[in-house]
Structures are given as C-alpha cells and as structure tokens.
Amino acid sequence: MGKRRRKLLILAASAIGVIIAGVLPFGLLAIPNPPSYEEVDRIIERGAYVQTGDRFLRLFPYPQRLEAAPADLALVDAQPRLMVKARQFFGEEGYRLEPFPSGALVELTLTMGDEGVMGLSPARPLPAGAYLFTAMQDSVYGGEDYYYFAVEPTSSWVVPPGAPSEGGRDHRS
C-alpha cells in the first residue's frame, strides 16, 4: 500500500507542477511594464532624477543595459541636470552619460548638493536623441543601474511624449 500511495503523491505533485508551469507564463504576460520615469515634486527616495527648471523626473532603474530604449522615454531639454540621491557616492568615475545605443561619453560637471544629493550636468548642450545614464549602485552588492531619457532641444522642461499639460496645452515650447 505504501508504494501505491507514494506513486499517487508523485503523480499529484507532477500534475500540479505541469499546471503551474503551463499557467505561470500567461500570468507573467499580464504584468505591465513599469514606466521609465515618474514626475515628482522633490527628491525623496534614493535613485536618479532629471531636473529641468523646478521640475524633477525620477528615472526607473534598469538592472541591465537594454538592447532598445524604452518606448516611453521622458523628453528633456538640451541641458538637463542629472541628480543622484544616495548614501554614498563614487566620484565622477561612478557615473556615465552617453548617447544610446552607442556613442562617446558625455563630459559631466559634478556638484554636491544638500542631504545626500549630487548633481551632474553636461558640459555642453546635448544633441537630440536617446541617452543612457549609468550609475554605480548604492548597495552592499555593487553593480550598476541604467537609466534612459531623450533630449528634445525644443523642450522647455520634462514631458512624456505627446502628453498634454494641465489645461490641455503641451509643455514643449
């Protein structure tokens, strides 16, 4: 009787495993992709932000370099200020800005701010296009986080592509 019971348990466990393996991929397909940015009033959480004027955009960190830029890149003007909030900083060598998908590194000017916030600004206005900002992770495990945004020279401040502002007007100048 013990062998028959063991066979039934193995069969039941196998059936449950097959059902889970068959259903799980469909559940994962239903999970929406997170946006590549979020507009915020001020810098509170650790991470990378783009500042244009008095507005801040919190960029979503990707754990690895993407093959293609996210579809919903935030648009910023040609002279964005990158802001990093962290417990510790790694100097200029810990942060890189480059055109995406490839290109020469952009020279950044580093400034320290208040309350664990560091600013990085391009030395010259950026040409239009997608950009990749790479930052050392502020964690025990190290590594890098990858942040994406796009420059639209006519943009007066951060806007999502095609989104109207309050009152229905476009933010772009």
Side-chain angles (χ1 to χ4, degrees):
M1 197 73 156
K3 286 184 182 184
R4 185 173 181 187
R5 183 176 228 169
R6 190 177 335 159
K7 285 181 182 181
L8 284 174
L9 283 173
I10 291 172
L11 183 62
S14 297
I16 291 171
V18 168
I19 291 169
I20 290 174
V23 174
L24 185 62
F26 295 108
L28 293 176
L29 290 175
I31 298 172
N33 289 333
S36 65
Y37 64 90
E38 171 187 23
E39 194 170 327
V40 295
D41 293 327
R42 57 195 165 121
I43 297 174
I44 298 174
E45 297 179 42
R46 290 190 323 237
Y49 299 77
V50 176
Q51 179 184 11
T52 303
D54 63 347
R55 307 296 284 184
F56 295 98
L57 190 71
R58 184 170 192 261
L59 300 176
F60 179 80
Y62 291 87
Q64 61 190 24
R65 194 178 172 109
L66 302 177
E67 291 183 21
D72 64 341
L73 288 178
L75 301 178
V76 301
D77 65 15
Q79 291 190 293
R81 183 165 186 214
L82 296 161
M83 309 292 288
V84 176
K85 182 167 175 94
R87 289 177 293 195
Q88 68 178 30
F89 297 103
F90 302 96
E92 292 176 9
E93 61 277 354
Y95 308 93
R96 298 183 309 275
L97 179 63
E98 59 190 289
F100 184 78
S102 63
L105 291 178
V106 174
E107 182 183 342
L108 295 172
T109 304
L110 186 140
T111 56
M112 288 305 293
D114 298 334
E115 300 176 22
V117 177
M118 178 180 63
L120 298 147
S121 301
R124 290 175 284 294
L126 299 173
Y131 284 85
L132 167 63
F133 177 60
T134 305
M136 297 278 296
Q137 286 182 353
D138 179 21
S139 74
V140 178
Y141 305 106
E144 295 177 324
D145 282 325
Y146 302 92
Y147 304 90
Y148 297 85
F149 64 92
V151 168
E152 182 181 89
T154 59
S155 179
S156 61
W157 61 287
V158 178
V159 294
S165 69
E166 298 148 358
R169 291 187 313 270
D170 197 331
H171 291 297
R172 291 172 268 192
S173 12

